[in-house]
Amino acid sequence: MEDITHDDQVDNENELYNLTDRLERYAYGKTDNEFVGHSQKPAPSPAQEQAFRNKYLYDLKIDRPIRDRIKAIIAVSKHIIPYSHETLDMVWIEVNDLVAANASTDSRRALLELLSASVSRSDLSLVDQVRLLKTTGTLTYESMEVNPKLLDPIISFANKYAHNGKMEGFDVALDALVQVATLLATPEDHLHQSPPGEPSDVATDCLLRLVVENIQENSLMTQHCYDRLVQLSRHQNAPQNCRISAMKLLMCLRCTSQRLLYLTSSPDSQKVAATLFRTEESIRSKPTTQAQAAKATITEGTQTIRSGKTGTADFSGKAGSRQQIRPTSNDNPVKVTPYLWMYSSLSELPQVSSSQINDTISTSSSSVCSMQMLNLNAWFEGVLEILQNGDDWEVYSFVIVHLPSLLTNTSLFFGNISFIQSLQTLLVSHIRKSSFQEPPVHSGLKKGDVALCLFNSLTILVSYHHWIGQEDLTDMVHTFLVGIGMWDRAAKSCIHALTLCCHEIPRSVDKCLSLILTKMSQIISQSYLAMDILEFLSQLARLPDAYRSIGEDPLRTIFGICISHLHYSREQRQSSLSAVDLKSTHASSHLSGTSAEFAAASELSQSPGIPEDLPEYVYALAYTVITKWFLSISIRHRSKHVGWIAKNLAWKNKKDEEIVEEQSQVTLDMMHRTAFLDLGETKPRPIPDDEVKQVVKKTWLVGMSIVTMETNAATGMTQITKRQASGTTHAVYQQHTAPLPLHHVEAQFRETVEGTDAPLNILPNHILLQLGSTISPMPIPIQPIVLPDDEFSKRAISTLDRIDTVDGHKAGVIYVAPGQTHESQILANTSGSDNYEKFLAGLGTKVSLQGASFNTQGLDREYDTDGTHTYAWRDRITEIVFHIPTMMPTNLEYDAPCINKKRHIGNDFVNVIYNESGLPFKFDTFASQLNYVNIVITPEEASVILPKPSSTSDDPAFHTPLETDQDINPSGNFFKVQLQCAPSFPSISPAATPKIVTASALPSFVRKLVLNASVFSLVWSNRGGGEYVSSWRSRLREIRKLRDRYSNTATSANVAYPGMGTPEDRGGARSYVEGDDWKGTLSMGGLAEHGQFLMSLDFTRWA
């Protein structure tokens, strides 16, 4: 059939475009001279209508050149507006025939615009418009290019019928869109993406926009659009990019605890996407040819979008995903399969705030009848099919990356618990059997990368434990254990998951604890896991429900793990070369900052070859774990572990000298104080005023302690104060004196206490001799040193007493009310929600600041400047005080920016953000150079009716009946917890990727995150010089100052053995006998025979 010439084509195109413009204005109710008065024209008579058909339609039907047929269509279109649907049907039939007549591309494009402009005309029948949609799709495919204006009339057409209540017409339109989206789909075609402008592209875009535009206005339309999107996402033969586009919106679906539906603009999957190199940052860090080609793909895709779709937003979310790869040169072109999705492209989905909620859409049958229902099971079944059977890699990778974020919206699944149970079973099976889909070779990924994504989903499921049987929960713990040993890439994530399990499912952890500890002892050589293992053990030590059945061997394993990491950290700290490497490592590591930068610092991006730890932090953490676990042991059994721990705390330097460093000394001191004691802290006994003058006070240095005795010289009542590095003990001693016999002759002369008439019967020296020695010879170096009553001694003891006996920490707890984003708004809050108050009550104990005897970490104790109360928490080794703006005075008239509150919050290394704003919290909301870490808690209100668990588990939670329809989730609310870090600060927490935590576990989980982050921040802040010194070490240094000053002086007979130790050990004194070859070890204020040093450390041998 003859085609039109170029000149004819140009003329016809101009005429067609002009007509298109006029028709568009008419369709949208605008006026034009050519159309003025059309609406007032009376309907033509049957005779007029027949005359019109005879005059114009005959020209369309005859066999003539295409150029003439196009002209005829233009002529007909100018006159069809007032005519009947029968006439219009004839016109559109001819248009369809013309489409199939192989016209030129430009002509087809012109017809396409003519048809699309007519979609919204009110005088077209539904059948005509559906036919028009299909015609438009076909023309779009043939022209291979889309004019974005096409979307608007097609959507207007669908909306017109829906808003008029004609859902039948709306459904016909939606079915037409789905049909067009899969028009050319065959089993062969689905492996390729559809080119830009293909009808499937247009139809998918239309479906996406229909959902976004109606989700807040028309629930019925949203439901029908949702059904078609699910249908498209599960269509195995549809083009990949169309399926992925549908899934992008489906993965952004969220609902509140009241079953109200909304779209999230922050799916929060960037870190997981970085695992598969689907973020720009991760692509840049991937040193492979594949990555370079992928970067070229992304760049080229951006250019294509800019040149081909200017002026209109691309709602498909397929930016940078469908363009062809072009070699950069003709020589050795790189063949690369382009990515169909990148995480950054999600930003092109319509930005819908989570605060804009559709209050007429329901997701569960438990909701009221007037609410419309979304069949979420269909979408969830599609996800399970992809995971179970595998799929094209682009589709499969998209699902495993975005599924964890979807699972964080727990309310979405309360009506679909069977999906959660099926998903848990599937993930456990696939991971343990390693039967999940492998990435293609060209991706440069390994199977462990896929496992890591699956583990992230499985970790989220831990918080759904109320609906999972006990055996299945134990299987989950075993699965995380499998991941530690099977895939290096997944080890960190699995350890973090086990940390969460300790809080959420402690019984299951207890059952598997021996296996867990054994596995961790086997991977101690992998230094990049040191922090994660030690943090896990640190949290476990404070959760007795998770280690009820622990025995002697597992305890030794824990201590052995700590000792091994101590050896590693010592080697790193002793090597100057390692110090240089460490700085280099931290400079080049992926470090996290604001939420937009999280992926770069993710635990997911770590590998065995890129250690992220600071040896100083590992060093401090290992000692902390030893201390916590030693104190967790019953006092009947603690002494059994002293000898083994003590001998391993000492180490040999390069000169083969036995070294017991400061932290080891204070750990030994802690064991010495607590091996047989669980009474807790002590306080001094007040001395009655009438006895003060009778008291004689004396102080000695005894080993590495300061012993003060205050004795009533008349009665013998003695208060003993023993100051050690790990604490101070106050005790009372009194000799029980028997009455003198009647025939006993009293002394003729009695000395009195100076300044009193009271008899001088006893001195403190006697108490020391009675309690601390016998007539057996005592080596000179370990003899007590009498401290003079001078200013230096008093000042040193006073300084020691001011140093806390526990490590003190501080952290802010900040409440963000709905809609708040600015610092001044947030700090001005004077109260929070009920859930916030419950969280505070679980985080610590409410304590009064007025006259507080503990370290309030800068909060005023006299004038209520910072409020009357705060929350604090303390155990035997740690104390944390929380700075809480809602509990501080607020005076907006005199302090509008709340500077008084900011001076505390701005100086805290760690802040807890309780975010109820409904918006993502930005790290830089509070400008401060000292804020290193934000722990962001996003609550999900859980006042929802839940189904009864169907499990037959022996967990008591499964036997609690739901008595009425008002019963709510037995664990309370669910919360998303995620760590934010300042730029350049390593992301080292189990919450580096989002974790879902139940209300019952939230306070303890967050508190332990805060403590670990605070310790790390203290170490980090001293990395440029100095070191982090614990309170115990500070106390030890004060004791050593006194020993250094008063050893080997005229004030004491305590001189060094001949030839022993270094001049520093002897306080600078020379050995008073030269040439003596006596050998021994002088250390820690004590003496050890040669070759018996380690045995000398074990005080339980004689105690």
Side-chain angles (χ1 to χ4, degrees), residues 571-630:
E571 293 172 358
Q572 295 296 307
R573 295 167 74 240
Q574 290 295 310
S575 172
S576 58
L577 178 61
S578 295
V580 174
D581 291 342
L582 178 66
K583 293 180 181 179
S584 174
T585 298
H586 281 290
S588 61
S589 293
H590 302 305
L591 302 177
S592 66
T594 61
S595 57
E597 299 168 322
F598 278 163
S602 170
E603 61 190 8
L604 307 177
S605 64
Q606 297 303 311
S607 65
I610 309 178
E612 187 191 51
D613 58 315
L614 281 174
E616 289 84 358
Y617 179 59
V618 173
Y619 173 81
L621 197 55
Y623 280 111
T624 299
V625 173
I626 290 174
T627 301
K628 287 181 180 180
W629 276 101
F630 184 80

Side-chain angles (χ1 to χ4, degrees), residues 547-562:
Y547 63 85
R548 288 190 180 279
S549 60
I550 195 169
E552 297 294 329
D553 290 339
L555 283 170
R556 292 190 184 95
T557 301
I558 291 173
F559 293 132
I561 291 172
C562 296

Side-chain angles (χ1 to χ4, degrees), residues 118-235:
S118 304
V119 169
S120 299
R121 288 179 47 179
S122 60
D123 56 351
L124 293 183
S125 68
L126 175 61
V127 175
D128 293 331
Q129 291 175 319
V130 171
R131 182 186 299 124
L132 178 58
L133 283 175
K134 295 180 181 179
T135 302
T136 303
T138 305
L139 279 170
T140 304
Y141 174 70
E142 294 294 340
S143 66
M144 298 298 289
E145 185 174 335
V146 168
N147 185 327
K149 293 181 181 179
L150 293 178
L151 297 177
D152 295 325
I154 294 175
I155 290 175
S156 297
F157 155 73
N159 285 340
K160 178 184 69 176
Y161 278 95
H163 286 296
N164 290 338
K166 300 177 181 179
M167 292 306 300
E168 180 182 359
F170 186 69
D171 285 340
V172 172
L174 293 181
D175 290 337
L177 288 174
V178 174
Q179 183 176 352
V180 171
T182 58
L183 185 65
L184 301 176
T186 67
E188 292 76 22
D189 292 334
H190 87 282
L191 295 177
H192 308 285
Q193 67 271 25
S194 59
E198 190 170 323
S200 57
D201 234 14
V202 177
T204 305
D205 290 349
C206 287
L207 286 171
L208 293 175
R209 284 187 53 180
L210 282 170
V211 172
V212 172
E213 292 182 5
N214 290 288
I215 192 170
Q216 298 175 60
E217 299 178 2
N218 193 311
S219 60
L220 192 58
M221 292 172 64
T222 302
Q223 177 187 354
H224 287 224
C225 292
Y226 164 82
D227 290 340
R228 269 57 176 204
L229 278 178
V230 173
Q231 179 183 348
L232 178 59
S233 70
R234 298 182 66 177
H235 198 299

Side-chain angles (χ1 to χ4, degrees), residues 619 623 659-668 725 1027 1029 1032-1034 1036-1037 1040:
Y619 173 81
Y623 280 111
I659 303 295
V660 183
E661 53 202 350
E662 279 186 349
Q663 194 62 50
S664 292
Q665 291 182 42
V666 298
T667 302
L668 285 167
E1027 59 177 334
V1029 179
W1032 288 358
R1033 290 176 64 187
S1034 297
L1036 177 67
R1037 290 180 179 185
R1040 291 184 63 178

Side-chain angles (χ1 to χ4, degrees), residues 287-325:
T288 64
T289 305
Q290 173 73 17
Q292 296 169 359
K295 284 188 280 187
T297 300
I298 297 169
T299 303
E300 183 179 334
T302 303
Q303 295 171 347
T304 301
I305 292 170
R306 290 175 179 172
S307 61
K309 294 192 176 186
T310 55
T312 302
D314 176 11
F315 293 110
S316 65
K318 297 184 281 292
S321 62
R322 295 173 294 183
Q323 52 283 342
Q324 301 295 323
I325 298 295

